[in-house]
Amino acid sequence: MASLEYPRLVSVETTNHCNAKCVFCPNNALARDKGPMTQELFEKIIEECRAFPLPAIEPFLQGDPFSDPKILERLELIRRRLPKTKLRLYTNGYGMAPKKIDAMLGLGIDHLYVSVNTLDPEKYRQVMGIPLARTLDNLAYLTEPSRKGRVANKITFRMTRLGDTTLQEQDDFIRYCKARGVDCFIVGLFNYKGDINSGLPVPSYGCEHVARLDILASGRVTLCCMDQDGQYGWADLNQMSVLEAFNHPMAQRYREFHRSGKRREIDPCGTCNNFWPGFHGLSPVEAAKTGLEYCAYMARHRPNGRKRPRGEGMTRDGLVQLQTKHSAAASAGSYRAAPSGD
């Protein structure tokens, strides 16, 4: 019998509503209903996370946390009930108004990530579907020296580099981050297990996502954040505990495939280009091998950082394939059931 494992991260989708419509994100093409997680279920999950040493928690998955009217009280509950767990928050910043920023002071957020993606107002609206000015006003308020360090221990502004993101855009973004006194992170495009066009290939090494537990607003466990509709999920947190879900036979099967170098042999991981490596549960030799493969991938494909555009990946029309696929699947009721553990 396999020994009990603990997740390195639990991600809780408090809502799958989002105020933006980013062209590289499948949120606006979800086949499932949109809505918040019930408070009862949220509190159940947080309490169950107290039963084991949890390194990190993220109240985010598909959707923006500030589209959740209860996000502030939920952040406070996480911090109070899981004081030793790192609390990370991801947002596009549009709904993070000054009043909410003030309410975040002293909450104990460890790392706040804000997806900005471009500083060009016209392209920002094309890419994200919202106006840039309001976001920049919120970020200016956030990063004032008197409050920046009191909102979060660390703040990172993030740019997803599309196929037509120019070097000028990237340089402007780097300078903007430096001027605001925050970390800058530029990253290439993930393909959401093949649903979205991306020029980056599928890595050979195992993915870090199999060592985390991702929970949709309904309570359904999904394979990872790339499995946006829970198509490959295997459990329901309304009926099962966090640790039972993480140690479910199907979860163990995915971890075994990734840890044994067979990532490309299991669906849908074999078509997903998420390039963050998984070291959790590996032996020293296996970890060294994964590290070397990861370094080779980074050197060859440069998925992070400043990079000259090559027309790879997607632009404004790139989400059409995903919307078409999901609309057809939802209408036909053809989303597959959770796979068995056989």
Side-chain angles (χ1 to χ4, degrees), residues 289-300:
K289 180 176 182 292
T290 294
L292 289 173
E293 292 175 348
Y294 171 62
C295 288
Y297 184 97
M298 296 293 285
R300 181 174 182 181

Side-chain angles (χ1 to χ4, degrees), residues 209-226:
H209 282 38
V210 295
R212 56 187 271 175
L213 188 71
D214 292 297
I215 308 163
L216 302 181
S218 65
R220 181 168 175 77
V221 169
T222 186
L223 172 59
C224 68
C225 60
M226 302 294 163

Side-chain angles (χ1 to χ4, degrees), residues 118 120-132 316:
T118 182
D120 180 298
E122 181 178 351
K123 188 167 184 181
Y124 184 89
R125 186 180 284 276
Q126 291 175 349
V127 170
M128 300 187 67
I130 49 179
L132 176 62
R316 182 66 201 173

Side-chain angles (χ1 to χ4, degrees), residues 152-274:
N153 294 333
K154 186 176 182 180
I155 299 176
T156 297
F157 290 174
R158 173 176 171 143
M159 167 185 274
T160 295
R161 191 185 62 227
L162 303 181
D164 58 357
T165 301
T166 66
L167 286 179
Q168 183 64 53
E169 283 183 272
Q170 296 174 58
D171 291 339
D172 289 345
F173 181 70
I174 292 169
R175 283 191 292 268
Y176 173 71
C177 293
K178 185 176 181 180
R180 303 315 307 178
V182 300
D183 288 354
C184 174
F185 184 49
I186 300 175
V187 64
L189 184 67
F190 297 120
N191 71 357
Y192 284 84
K193 63 190 187 310
D195 284 341
I196 289 178
N197 291 327
S198 170
L200 295 171
V202 177
S204 59
Y205 51 84
C207 176
E208 67 166 4
H209 282 38
V210 295
R212 56 187 271 175
L213 188 71
D214 292 297
I215 308 163
L216 302 181
S218 65
R220 181 168 175 77
V221 169
T222 186
L223 172 59
C224 68
C225 60
M226 302 294 163
D227 182 23
Q228 63 273 3
D229 278 311
Q231 183 181 358
Y232 295 88
W234 54 77
D236 185 343
L237 267 294
N238 290 285
Q239 304 169 357
M240 190 177 289
S241 73
V242 167
L243 281 184
E244 286 173 335
F246 188 70
N247 287 277
H248 187 280
M250 202 63 210
Q252 294 177 6
R253 183 167 180 258
Y254 274 106
R255 289 198 290 274
E256 176 57 29
F257 267 77
H258 279 251
R259 290 170 179 172
S260 61
K262 298 179 181 178
R263 166 191 181 145
R264 293 175 175 173
E265 298 179 26
I266 189 168
D267 190 32
C269 308
T271 58
C272 182
N273 72 351
N274 190 300

Side-chain angles (χ1 to χ4, degrees), residues 39 42 69-78 80:
Q39 187 65 14
F42 179 78
K70 294 185 176 182
I71 189 57
L72 293 172
E73 63 182 85
R74 287 175 166 174
L75 291 173
E76 189 278 330
L77 177 66
I78 291 173
R80 177 163 44 87

